[in-house]
Amino acid sequence: MTGYPFSDIEKKWQAYWEKNKTFRAKEDPKVPREKRKYILDMFPYPSAAGLHVGHPEGYIATDIYCRYLRMNGFNVLHPMGFDSFGLPAENYAIKTGTHPRVSTEQNIARFTSQIKSLGFSYDWDRLISTCEPEYYRWTQWIFLKMWEKGLAYEAEVPINWCPSCLTGLANEEVKDGLCDRCGTPVTRRNLRQWIMKITAYAERLLADLDKLQWSESLKLMQRNWIGRSEGANVRFAIAAGDGEIEVYTTRPDTLFGATYMVLAPEHPLVARITTSAQKTAVQDYISAAAMKSDLERTELAKEKTGVFTGAYAINPMNGNKIPVWISDYILISYGTGAIMAVPGHDERDFEFAKKFDLPIVQVVSRDGSTYPLKAAEPMDGIAVNSGEFNGLATAEFKKKIVEWLQKKEIGRSAVNYKLRDWIFSRQRYWGEPIPLIHCPKDGTVAVPYDQLPLRLPEVAGYKPTGTGESPLAAMTDWVNTTCPKCGGPAKRETNTMPQWAGSCWYYMRYLDPHNDAVFSSREKLDYWMPVDLYVGGAEHAVLHLLYSRFWHKFLYDIDAVNSDEPFMRLINQGMILGEGGVKMSKSLGNVINPDDIIRSFGADTMRVYEMFMGPLEVSKPWSTRGIAGVKRFLEKVWRTAELPLNNDEPSETLLRLLHKTIKKVSHDTGKLEFNTAIAQMMIFMNEVSGLSSLPRKLWQPFILLLAPYAPHLAEELWEETGGTPSVGVQAWPRWDEALTVEELVEVVFQINGKIRAKESLPSGLGEAETKEKALGNARMKELLDGKEIHKVIVVPGKLVNVVASL
Ligand SMILES: [Zn+2]
Ligand SMILES: [Zn+2]
């Protein structure tokens, strides 16, 4: 008996697949639409750390599914690439002086060899990398199209600023007030920015979620991020002089209870309305607020702060003069940057009113009576202290008051979104140059399409200047150019695109990776798109998955793609935790390196183990014992394959087991329930491994079932049984339904030795289950009602006798 030589087998078949391009996808027009599948993995960022065990989990799942689909006659597109622009390569360049391109290429080479060592059936001819000029030419092309339509605009706005990375960040890149890349607390800074008008698509991004087969939790994350609310915009006149303050409220029914107003410190009215007596206090407050992030100002703020401007506004409902304050818990970026404060029915306003001794008026009541408020009561109820509207229920009041405001021309119904426009420029080097030119005569002018790609120039240093300019600004030869419109001297835009730009559309470049006329031919888009199944981490819920839907919808609107959603079905794989169920991390020293696992156990064992750990979507802990168990299973397969083959008919029992196994593995693999499919293959092996010789009719179908899971081992065994490679292109075995049906036996049910009922039960039912069936039988239940059962005698497959007192 020889050991299971996984290392030799795996190298042999990986070389075979590569040489023969076994898994190349072709656009065969004869394959009908329903037999084409586009199965996509979230492509990795090629970090210096290499692949970790979390990466392959999703890749293994899609690979098994793709192999299963191909064996079932589907034409499958399954590509891989690299999301290769981004901060880590640049930070590494600053530290070591290595050009980001060099370190990125090294990392890509390492990732590629690691990915190949797991035997994935990618079509490697379609490999893409977002930092290649042939690729980012089209990222720039899409950007220009969006700019032409007014979806990319320039503005000086306060943005999230990472003082360590020295760059601006999108809201989506700030986690709990910290930079998503380096963990430094984010501050605010006013900077000239390129901004993408994602808010123009808010309604469609929200509504079209209903079309998608995504998990409800993921859809909810996007819904909450978009944060649609319905309410009214209302204008309050300023008491002294002219002007008015517009507010957005979701509770226009509480207008009578507005006892003061609050503006964001950045609100443009602040300077105009502040009285001279309050000027110093207001200015000091504004300077302090500018240093804080949105999160520090809102969720993290323990105590409300604020300053009175000295000005008053008029409550349009009751004519009351109400004071106007500023406070940093109001964000300029949400609604109108100003609120009417209703302390009786809003917790934040209540807190603020208590602290600054501002009046609190009840305008909503639980039962229509008035009572002193001990805390804010933000619930719906009956209107009180609301003049002619008293007695109205909240929903009705809302409708009536909006009509009233519209008639008086002081307000209108309004929809608001929490979603902000996307801060799109980065003051960094390693990203796509924004293909725009600033001309003193013509303003902003696009780099002509036939001059794309606008290549990223070589720079001497990568260190960001910290002045809000990217290192490109120092490249005067590159920056100084001529205006494409007037031919006069002009300057290039020096900001670069964010990491997320390249991944917004990469799934379409795979379809046509070498096309230099369009980003992807319409013919190929029509053949494959949209993506049938997308698998990746949930951490991209409001970043990549929102941004790419936005770009895709835009491309649909300009008739460049055939679908208005890119990813029809999406699955987030669960996290792989360290042994003991804690997160894997360098500091805990519990990080598992896939290279080590492949070296000691083999790629097939790692593939089967990661899928056997549990359902794909749940998080699960790594177990050294578990992987050893899976290795023993594959060793058993290897040893069993050494038994002599025969051409005999298998026994009825084994034939039934085979067909049950084919049925279960087919069903479960099709539903991505890989762990239970593997368990069934283990049951099969336990029976078959004890034989003295192997019926070919039993063994060959089993090898086919194993092929998507342990493809190297299956190729080797397939060849041994006389099959021609590749096992990956063989037809999936079919089961005979008749052989999967349980055999039934008649079991008699007795009471005190007398036959009272009969039932057909599956053969092989155990003692406990047979007893349960007898006691659950309707006739038996009726006869035993009110009787005391002393004893139940069970002879499985034959009879059950209940001894009871009569
Ligand atoms: Zn940072
Ligand atoms: Zn010009």
Side-chain angles (χ1 to χ4, degrees), residues 401-414:
I401 190 88
V402 171
E403 283 165 19
W404 189 91
L405 290 166
Q406 264 158 349
K407 218 161 72 197
K408 299 260 174 192
E409 294 183 344
I410 48 172
R412 60 185 165 82
S413 68

Side-chain angles (χ1 to χ4, degrees), residues 196-485:
M196 283 266 177
K197 208 169 182 178
I198 190 172
T199 51
Y201 280 74
E203 191 61 52
R204 283 164 68 193
L205 288 169
L206 186 70
D208 290 348
L209 283 172
D210 294 342
K211 295 181 185 172
L212 305 178
Q213 262 184 285
W214 293 16
S215 73
E216 274 312 309
S217 63
L218 194 70
K219 287 189 194 180
L220 190 66
M221 278 194 260
Q222 287 211 351
R223 282 193 191 108
N224 289 342
W225 189 262
I226 296 167
R228 183 185 195 276
S229 67
E230 282 179 19
N233 272 17
V234 188
R235 295 192 305 278
F236 286 61
I238 291 166
D242 59 337
E244 44 193 22
I245 300 170
E246 189 168 25
V247 300
Y248 169 76
T249 173
T250 56
R251 292 295 301 267
D253 62 296
T254 62
L255 262 165
F256 283 89
T259 56
Y260 64 100
M261 301 190 84
V262 189
L263 304 182
E266 301 85 357
H267 198 288
L269 269 180
V270 173
R272 224 179 76 200
I273 61 170
T274 301
T275 59
S276 50
Q278 290 299 99
K279 203 153 229 154
T280 316
V282 164
Q283 253 156 19
D284 288 350
Y285 189 81
I286 292 172
S287 315
M291 303 303 292
K292 297 189 197 169
S293 69
D294 285 1
L295 207 82
E296 282 175 289
R297 287 171 52 164
T298 53
E299 274 102 291
L300 299 180
K302 292 264 179 303
E303 207 172 309
K304 299 283 171 279
T305 59
V307 179
F308 179 39
T309 61
Y312 290 85
I314 306 292
N315 183 320
M317 305 311 295
N318 52 25
N320 289 350
K321 255 176 87 174
I322 60 175
V324 181
W325 285 62
I326 62 168
S327 172
D328 63 9
Y329 81 86
I330 306 304
L331 301 177
I332 189 69
S333 54
Y334 184 68
T336 61
I339 62 146
M340 62 174 208
V342 184
H345 306 283
D346 180 282
E347 276 150 28
R348 284 187 319 179
D349 297 347
F350 187 88
E351 217 182 294
F352 194 89
K354 278 281 178 204
K355 180 161 177 192
F356 296 107
D357 203 21
L358 293 157
I360 298 169
V361 174
Q362 183 193 21
V363 289
V364 185
S365 159
R366 288 186 289 259
D367 52 10
S369 71
T370 54
Y371 42 85
L373 296 172
K374 290 194 194 73
E377 292 194 349
M379 80 288 174
D380 285 6
I382 310 289
V384 293
N385 295 324
S386 297
E388 59 181 289
F389 300 97
N390 277 343
L392 287 181
T394 300
E396 200 192 343
F397 191 176
K398 273 188 186 172
K399 243 191 351 223
K400 285 235 160 99
I401 190 88
V402 171
E403 283 165 19
W404 189 91
L405 290 166
Q406 264 158 349
K407 218 161 72 197
K408 299 260 174 192
E409 294 183 344
I410 48 172
R412 60 185 165 82
S413 68
V415 170
N416 219 323
Y417 299 92
K418 278 193 197 143
L419 183 68
R420 303 271 62 91
D421 277 342
W422 172 16
I423 305 292
F424 192 73
S425 37
R426 297 293 177 273
Q427 296 70 45
R428 298 296 305 240
Y429 172 70
W430 191 234
E432 300 86 349
I434 293 178
L436 291 172
I437 292 168
H438 302 282
C439 169
K441 248 170 64 194
D442 299 303
T444 307
V445 181
V447 171
Y449 285 107
D450 61 8
Q451 288 173 28
L452 298 181
L454 172 61
R455 284 169 189 265
L456 188 60
E458 297 295 319
V459 291
Y462 312 101
K463 215 173 166 63
T465 59
T467 59
E469 297 256 38
S470 91
L472 293 180
M475 301 286 302
T476 43
D477 284 357
W478 183 80
V479 174
N480 292 321
T481 185
T482 49
C483 168
K485 233 181 192 166

Side-chain angles (χ1 to χ4, degrees), residues 162 165 179 182:
C162 173
C165 297
C179 168
C182 72

Side-chain angles (χ1 to χ4, degrees), residues 6 123 144 160 169 563 570 604 619 779:
F6 56 83
D123 178 352
L144 282 185
N160 304 302
L169 301 171
S563 58
L570 180 103
D604 281 338
S619 294
R779 176 82 182 133

